[in-house]
Amino acid sequence: MSRLASMLIFLTIALSLLGAGHYYIWVRWIRDLAWQRDMGRILTWLLISLALSIPATFILSRTLPPVHGRGLLLVAYTWMGLAMALPALLACGDLLQWALRATLELSHGAPLDPARRLTLARGVAAGMLLTTGGLAVTGLRNALGQIGVRQVRIPLARLPKELHGFTIAQLSDVHVGPTLRREFVERIVAQTNALDVDLIAITGDLVDGGVERIAPLLAPLAKLRARHGVFFVTGNHEYYSGVEQWLAYLPQLGIRVLHNERVSIGRGESSFDLVGVDDLHGPQFGKGHGPDLEKAMADRDPTRESVLLAHQPKMVFQAEPYDVGLILSGHTHGGQVWPFRWLVLLQQPVLAGLARFARTWLYVSSGTGYWGPPMRLGAPAEITRLVLLSGAESS
């Protein structure tokens, strides 16, 4: 399927869901609550404006100067997050309202009159509104507040004993761009450097925007420090943002890009292979892009331990023939905004955390930043500190 056809299908589905979701919100919060005519019209046009603000943000985020418009984009993207969660919340409200109405009618032995049904609907709507406000505040705080450090210990059977305790800091899905700026990058650099790790791995979706717009925001990354260096593989958003320019720019910050290749980490026999492959979206954006494990693994000594950086968790299935010890991925954001975790699991084998596939460990970061809505619900942001242990049963 061509890139244009894929984009048209995506836009058709996205706009259909957008329209259906906002219609449901209108039915439950405006039509069914029987507002006075003028107030109903005002609320209807407000909802239409909020709906239109969602596609508008994608245009504004690419056209507004990077130093301007952040406040406007934060408001629009916040509504996007709420609009994603609201239909599910309203469905829960419908079930609650049905249960309350059935209980009241059973206790009174007669159907509720229209006035009492309206009072009940308004009470449930008020409860849903308060719940929505609470979720918005919580989601904003989770996304924009302090990032937690997640500690993970992973035993690798072929890791040399001399490298027992080798540490990797994983950053993933930072999405520096429309609403995440230089201050955020400075904060994650300081937190990561404080971990004093052996290696830093950035597993894709670092940016949302072209080099000419975003590069000044990334300048603090040049201060990242690890004894064996900083490594990067592409995510799908690098391909949306001018991948060739980013592949040329990141080395200027001291970041080694692994473009379907591997490097040896350590010295002599006290070492392991670090492998990096392109994102699965790569082939749509030009010849020479896309994951090529055959190239990256060519002539590799199978007795050596290997760690693979691959943006999408489902690369674990392509890696199966290569007997990889550990795969580090991201992409899922841990679902980011409930209830989308369930949709992510339709596409990826793991939502977040550590899982085992035969001999291969797969660790999926829930992401360091966020995409779109500045919100995280049930999916905390993380900087991951991974400790590699020598021996399959180490602890």
Side-chain angles (χ1 to χ4, degrees):
M1 185 182 296
S2 70
R3 180 183 171 190
L4 178 59
S6 298
M7 185 177 297
L8 289 174
I9 291 173
F10 170 77
L11 286 174
T12 300
I13 295 172
L15 291 175
S16 297
L17 292 174
L18 176 71
H22 279 80
Y23 177 74
Y24 186 29
I25 295 169
W26 178 80
V27 167
R28 287 293 176 262
W29 275 2
I30 298 177
R31 189 197 69 179
D32 289 357
L33 299 187
W35 295 94
Q36 292 183 354
R37 175 177 293 185
D38 288 345
M39 179 58 70
R41 286 176 177 174
I42 292 172
L43 292 175
T44 297
W45 281 110
L46 175 61
L47 186 61
I48 291 172
S49 299
L50 288 170
L52 293 176
S53 75
I54 294 176
T57 56
F58 293 101
I59 299 172
L60 293 173
S61 65
R62 299 282 177 171
T63 56
L64 285 174
V67 295
H68 300 299
R70 183 173 184 262
L72 176 63
L73 291 174
L74 279 173
V75 171
Y77 277 125
T78 298
W79 172 250
M80 180 194 301
L82 292 175
M84 292 165 65
L86 266 174
L89 287 173
L90 291 175
C92 293
D94 286 346
L95 291 174
L96 175 62
Q97 184 173 331
W98 176 84
L100 290 173
R101 180 175 172 180
T103 300
L104 290 171
E105 290 181 344
L106 185 63
S107 65
H108 288 80
L112 294 182
D113 60 63
R116 294 189 69 186
R117 288 201 299 269
L118 179 59
T119 299
L120 177 62
R122 287 177 172 174
V124 171
M128 290 298 101
L129 184 61
L130 290 173
T131 301
T132 300
L135 289 175
V137 171
T138 300
L140 288 165
R141 185 169 59 242
N142 289 343
L144 299 173
Q146 186 70 19
I147 301 168
V149 175
R150 185 169 184 180
Q151 306 275 355
V152 182
R153 296 164 65 86
I154 304 175
L156 296 177
R158 295 172 299 192
L159 186 72
K161 291 181 179 180
E162 295 82 358
L163 294 181
H164 182 82
F166 189 96
T167 52
I168 300 175
Q170 182 187 5
L171 305 175
S172 193
D173 303 277
V174 183
H175 289 285
V176 178
T179 58
L180 284 175
R181 301 302 176 88
R182 185 182 177 113
E183 313 85 68
F184 182 78
V185 179
E186 290 173 343
R187 183 148 51 94
I188 63 173
V189 167
Q191 280 190 262
T192 304
N193 285 343
L195 299 178
D196 188 30
V197 295
D198 296 304
L199 185 147
I200 297 172
I202 305 174
T203 50
D205 281 8
L206 176 62
V207 297
D208 270 324
V211 169
E212 68 284 354
R213 293 172 56 82
I214 307 300
L217 310 181
L218 288 184
L221 291 181
K223 296 180 180 179
L224 282 173
R225 294 291 179 265
R227 284 175 282 280
H228 291 271
V230 183
F231 297 86
F232 169 86
V233 292
T234 56
N236 50 307
H237 281 253
E238 274 72 48
Y239 285 99
Y240 307 151
S241 304
V243 68
E244 294 293 353
Q245 290 78 17
W246 281 115
L247 295 183
Y249 176 75
L250 289 176
Q252 299 177 35
L253 300 177
I255 299 173
R256 170 74 182 272
V257 177
L258 294 179
H259 179 38
N260 293 320
E261 58 187 307
R262 74 176 187 274
V263 295
S264 178
I265 302 297
R267 293 183 179 180
E269 294 184 356
S270 300
S271 61
F272 66 90
D273 291 328
L274 181 69
V275 187
V277 293
D278 296 349
D279 182 65
L280 288 161
H281 282 70
Q284 303 176 34
F285 291 83
K287 187 176 179 180
H289 288 285
D292 189 344
L293 272 167
E294 184 176 357
K295 174 186 174 184
M297 295 290 197
D299 301 321
R300 190 181 77 85
D301 180 354
T303 66
R304 288 169 56 82
E305 192 56 273
S306 57
V307 176
L308 171 64
L309 309 183
H311 181 61
Q312 298 196 39
K314 62 184 175 182
M315 275 298 298
V316 68
F317 302 120
Q318 290 193 28
E320 185 177 357
Y322 298 96
D323 197 23
V324 174
L326 170 64
I327 301 175
L328 300 181
S329 297
H331 186 63
T332 67
H333 296 211
Q336 186 170 322
V337 179
W338 181 88
F340 276 78
R341 60 187 299 123
W342 311 117
L343 296 181
V344 173
L345 283 172
L346 294 177
Q347 188 196 38
Q348 301 292 338
V350 176
L351 184 70
L354 188 64
R356 187 112 185 222
F357 291 79
R359 204 201 69 81
T360 300
W361 288 104
L362 169 66
Y363 184 79
V364 182
S365 168
S366 64
T368 309
Y370 58 80
W371 177 82
M375 304 173 69
R376 280 183 168 272
L377 293 171
E382 68 177 71
I383 296 171
T384 318
R385 184 178 185 270
L386 303 117
V387 182
L388 308 187
L389 308 174
S390 177
E393 303 303 325
S394 297
S395 60

